[in-house]
Amino acid sequence: MTRSARGAVGLAVLALMVWFSACGDPSGPGDPAKKLTQAATMSEPIGRQAASLGGASPQGRMVTSSVAAAGEDEDVAYVSLPPGTVPTADLALIRNPAHEGSITVPMRDGGFDPVPIVASPGDVVDIQLLTLDGGNVGALSMIVPSRRAPRVVR
């Protein structure tokens, strides 16, 4: 192979490497926990009465939490995970250590619709993503915001 042919091949290989790297995930492999935290959504707390007027129905949810027995004066925040975020998870266990109880939510298409949890601004809500046999697929913690701009969720 001539010197100019080798240079052209080298240039072509370099161009292909740049092209392939540009086609990948723009965020790179990164930290899976960080990607989970960025995908999850946590609302600001709202009054329990306001949540019952226009809130989501808990149909299809296994609720074993203080949300079901919360007083009318307690605030709730809504947490959700968009579809496709964790396709290997079957259940999400949502817990606020500042309040009693937890919520176990079945995952659908790798995510779950907004569910209420008793929370106040600044509380840390823990979410564990599990398989049906109890295997841990992922976990994240989110701080309940005091105020949040509106955002469309699912």
Side-chain angles (χ1 to χ4, degrees):
M1 202 187 286
T2 67
R3 185 178 219 181
S4 63
R6 275 187 274 151
V9 168
L11 186 58
V13 169
L14 180 63
L16 281 172
M17 288 173 55
V18 169
W19 183 65
F20 280 124
S21 67
C23 292
D25 181 8
S27 62
D31 180 15
K34 184 177 179 183
K35 287 185 178 185
L36 270 176
T37 303
Q38 290 172 343
T41 302
M42 174 72 68
S43 76
E44 62 191 50
I46 59 172
R48 180 80 168 135
Q49 286 181 331
S52 66
L53 292 176
S57 166
Q59 290 179 338
R61 292 176 176 75
M62 297 170 272
V63 178
T64 56
S65 76
S66 59
V67 172
E72 294 295 323
D73 59 338
E74 291 190 280
D75 291 341
V76 296
Y78 285 86
V79 61
S80 67
L81 199 61
T85 305
V86 187
T88 57
D90 299 309
L91 299 170
L93 176 64
I94 305 166
R95 183 168 112 30
N96 182 349
H99 298 276
E100 292 183 23
S102 63
I103 301 172
T104 303
V105 182
M107 301 273 289
R108 190 175 62 211
D109 299 328
F112 58 88
D113 289 334
V115 293
I117 185 157
V118 175
S120 301
D123 286 355
V124 176
V125 174
D126 298 319
I127 304 170
Q128 285 186 301
L129 305 171
L130 308 166
T131 59
L132 286 177
D133 61 3
N136 192 357
V137 178
L140 67 136
S141 295
M142 299 179 70
I143 297 174
V144 179
S146 59
R147 180 101 192 186
R148 181 176 189 112
R151 179 175 169 190
V152 176
V153 179
R154 199 160 166 157

